Amino acid sequence: ELLSSEVPDTAKQAAIELDKVVKTPHGKQTVLAHPKGISRLLKLLSSRSASAARWAVRVIASLSMDASGRQRVCALSSVKGDAVALALTKLLSCHDVESEQCAALVLGNLVLDPVGREMLLRAPCVLPAVRDVLWTSDVKTLRYIAGALRNVSFDEAGGRRLLSDRLLIKRLQELISSPDPTTVRYVSAVLKNMKVNVESKGPRSPTFRHVATAGDDGPGRGPTSPKRQMMSSSLAP
């Protein structure tokens, strides 16, 4: 109930306590079972208090780590139209490193779910915001966004959306030389999924396949297929 408080500090403190609760499997399931808990957390993402929004996105990031949490968050987000996507994209550029990291992590995990992927691709604000993050100097945020793009590029709708943005493709080609090996691995997978040569100035005609079902056995460890690459499970902090 305190998450709905009109007093920002009260809502923030409630989110801080929930952040502790979701650290355990039982606590996470308790939060997911609450009929209004997730909806209130999603609303708090747009709080006028930056610290309250930060704690809310931290909790949602934890919930997005497994399939049951992703499904619950995606189901409740989809009924809110583009509101959740808009809130997450605003957090991507809020100049608070932790909030930006958590927002990127949430996006990367939600696109593992078909409902989440459709919701995020539908919102016109998402792709430009994600593209802008590709110039961030923060390694974790960049890594999470690259991981999200890898999953988006796996199916036809997502791949074609990415291919329509030439600036994004150009930046991905530049990131092949990133000093972070995880980012390079994710970016290479995006380009491979879209049939884009690292050295080329544009894509070849892509051939997309049906999205594979993501596993749930811990942090993403690599592709589920030697031909097309998608996260085997959620992104991890």
Side-chain angles (χ1 to χ4, degrees), residues 38-55:
I38 306 300
S39 292
R40 289 169 178 165
L41 279 168
L42 292 172
K43 184 177 180 180
L44 197 57
L45 291 176
S46 302
S47 173
R48 64 180 182 272
S49 166
S51 57
R54 181 195 311 128
W55 284 101

Side-chain angles (χ1 to χ4, degrees), residues 20-50:
K20 299 174 185 176
V21 170
V22 297
K23 293 294 190 292
T24 67
H26 175 72
K28 184 177 290 188
Q29 290 306 314
T30 300
V31 173
L32 291 175
H34 193 284
K36 295 183 179 179
I38 306 300
S39 292
R40 289 169 178 165
L41 279 168
L42 292 172
K43 184 177 180 180
L44 197 57
L45 291 176
S46 302
S47 173
R48 64 180 182 272
S49 166

Side-chain angles (χ1 to χ4, degrees), residues 2-85:
L2 293 177
L3 288 172
S4 300
S5 174
E6 294 298 323
V7 181
D9 284 346
T10 301
K12 179 185 76 173
Q13 192 59 45
I16 290 173
E17 294 305 314
L18 281 180
D19 184 60
K20 299 174 185 176
V21 170
V22 297
K23 293 294 190 292
T24 67
H26 175 72
K28 184 177 290 188
Q29 290 306 314
T30 300
V31 173
L32 291 175
H34 193 284
K36 295 183 179 179
I38 306 300
S39 292
R40 289 169 178 165
L41 279 168
L42 292 172
K43 184 177 180 180
L44 197 57
L45 291 176
S46 302
S47 173
R48 64 180 182 272
S49 166
S51 57
R54 181 195 311 128
W55 284 101
V57 77
R58 274 177 60 105
V59 177
I60 294 171
S62 294
L63 294 174
S64 74
M65 292 296 297
D66 57 55
S68 60
R70 285 193 294 274
Q71 290 168 3
R72 184 84 170 124
V73 171
C74 289
L76 292 171
S77 297
S78 64
V79 301
K80 296 179 179 292
D82 294 342
V84 173

